[in-house]
Amino acid sequence: MNSKTLFVAFSTQKGGVGKTTFTVLAASYLHYLKGYNVAVVDCDYPQHSITAMRKRDSELVNSNQHYKLLAYNQFKALNKKAYPILCATSGDAITIASEYIKNHANEIDIVFFDLPGTVNSEGVIGSLASMDFIFTPITADRVVLESTLSFAMTINNLLVHNEEFNLKGLYLFWNQVDKRERTDLYEVYEKTISDLELNLMTTYIPDTKRYKKELFGDKPSIFRSTLFPADKRLMRGSNLEELITEIGFIIKL
């Protein structure tokens, strides 16, 4: 465990490429499976997607005997509660996280931040400047990629290469990879990423519907949840475990 709490964000300028999903999946995996103490700061105003997901998860656990028993057994074995989800704006996210860490009896190892999808939102740059690491999902869509690479270069130039700030690095990773697509398309994109001197992770996430699966009353399998880790059976072939392992290596967990 780290003596200093790490601030980590999944951040991108484009919506719909997975930043909220990966925030939840990484937080749940590390908190419930790997024993780290995690907190999440939900700055995605006004929808506060992760806070809304926790509400749906809690309501289903309270109304469904299968999930209720699963939750009881899990939290009894872990001897700790679900990770907190703190609502904030981009401007007060760091203050709220710091206050929570200061007033919390147990050491918090990692705080994940779900920030708005544009650097033009008030307070976003200030919050990103306080991160230790940023992870950015990208897809092989020209519009998405151009926007994301512009975002990544801006963050690198303003924050990563500036010793005044804490940010140690921004790391891109492929999401929604369709194996049927020609590999030379990715080779061209990866050469561009390399030429721009941006970091690209080796793990890629395949295009699979399981990343959209939340708790549902008649389906006992779990993938995306704020109260449970992803089911090990569903993790096979998802590359989720590989992604979080690589993230752990980068941030030195």
Side-chain angles (χ1 to χ4, degrees):
M1 303 287 183
N2 291 292
S3 57
K4 174 188 174 294
T5 302
L6 290 170
F7 283 6
V8 176
F10 286 94
S11 185
T12 177
Q13 197 159 255
K14 294 296 289 183
V17 294
K19 67 181 182 64
T20 298
T21 293
F22 287 109
T23 301
V24 170
L25 288 167
S28 294
Y29 182 91
L30 292 171
H31 189 79
Y32 302 126
L33 277 184
K34 292 299 179 182
Y36 292 95
N37 290 325
V38 171
V40 170
V41 181
D42 182 357
C43 314
D44 197 13
Y45 178 86
Q47 59 266 34
H48 287 299
S49 303
I50 298 178
T51 304
M53 192 185 303
R54 170 62 61 81
K55 184 173 183 289
R56 292 193 298 273
D57 287 347
S58 300
E59 287 172 351
L60 188 54
V61 165
N62 287 331
S63 64
N64 182 290
Q65 284 301 121
H66 169 76
Y67 290 130
K68 188 178 289 187
L69 182 60
L70 198 65
Y72 173 79
N73 290 335
Q74 170 179 276
F75 292 117
K76 184 179 179 183
L78 288 173
N79 195 28
K80 66 177 180 180
K81 297 179 180 179
Y83 56 80
I85 299 171
L86 312 172
C87 271
T89 65
S90 304
D92 63 13
I94 303 304
T95 301
I96 285 175
S98 299
E99 283 296 314
Y100 182 84
I101 292 164
K102 179 181 174 183
N103 296 323
H104 198 267
N106 296 324
E107 179 183 328
I108 304 298
D109 300 298
I110 312 166
V111 179
F112 287 104
F113 293 78
D114 186 27
L115 294 163
T118 171
V119 293
N120 295 326
S121 296
E122 187 177 352
V124 171
I125 286 291
S127 293
L128 290 173
S130 299
M131 295 300 111
D132 291 291
F133 297 93
I134 296 171
F135 295 94
T136 300
I138 52 174
T139 62
D141 174 284
R142 184 172 178 176
V143 173
V144 171
L145 198 60
E146 286 180 356
S147 172
T148 307
L149 293 184
S150 173
F151 164 80
M153 286 188 293
T154 299
I155 297 303
N156 258 4
N157 293 334
L158 282 179
L159 305 179
V160 176
H161 298 150
N162 190 331
E163 292 182 359
E164 291 182 20
F165 300 113
N166 199 44
L167 186 58
K168 300 171 184 65
L170 180 148
Y171 295 82
L172 305 166
F173 65 93
W174 288 114
N175 186 27
Q176 300 172 7
V177 174
D178 187 342
K179 293 181 181 178
R180 297 169 298 179
E181 289 178 338
R182 291 164 51 193
T183 55
D184 58 350
L185 176 68
Y186 284 92
E187 289 172 4
V188 169
Y189 287 152
E190 287 180 9
K191 184 179 184 307
T192 301
I193 291 167
S194 176
D195 290 343
L196 294 172
E197 298 183 341
L198 297 171
N199 298 311
L200 179 64
M201 296 171 65
T202 58
T203 306
Y204 71 88
I205 300 299
D207 189 12
T208 168
K209 291 180 180 178
R210 74 191 79 177
Y211 277 91
K212 297 179 175 67
K213 290 191 177 195
E214 289 191 36
L215 290 189
F216 201 70
D218 62 349
K219 296 185 189 294
S221 57
I222 299 166
F223 197 75
R224 187 176 66 182
S225 169
T226 67
L227 293 177
F228 303 102
D231 189 302
K232 288 184 179 179
R233 293 166 296 179
L234 289 180
M235 276 202 286
R236 293 192 197 108
S238 71
N239 287 1
L240 174 62
E241 193 163 22
E242 292 84 347
L243 178 75
I244 298 175
T245 298
E246 187 172 357
I247 288 170
F249 179 79
I250 291 167
I251 68 179
K252 296 180 172 59
L253 275 182

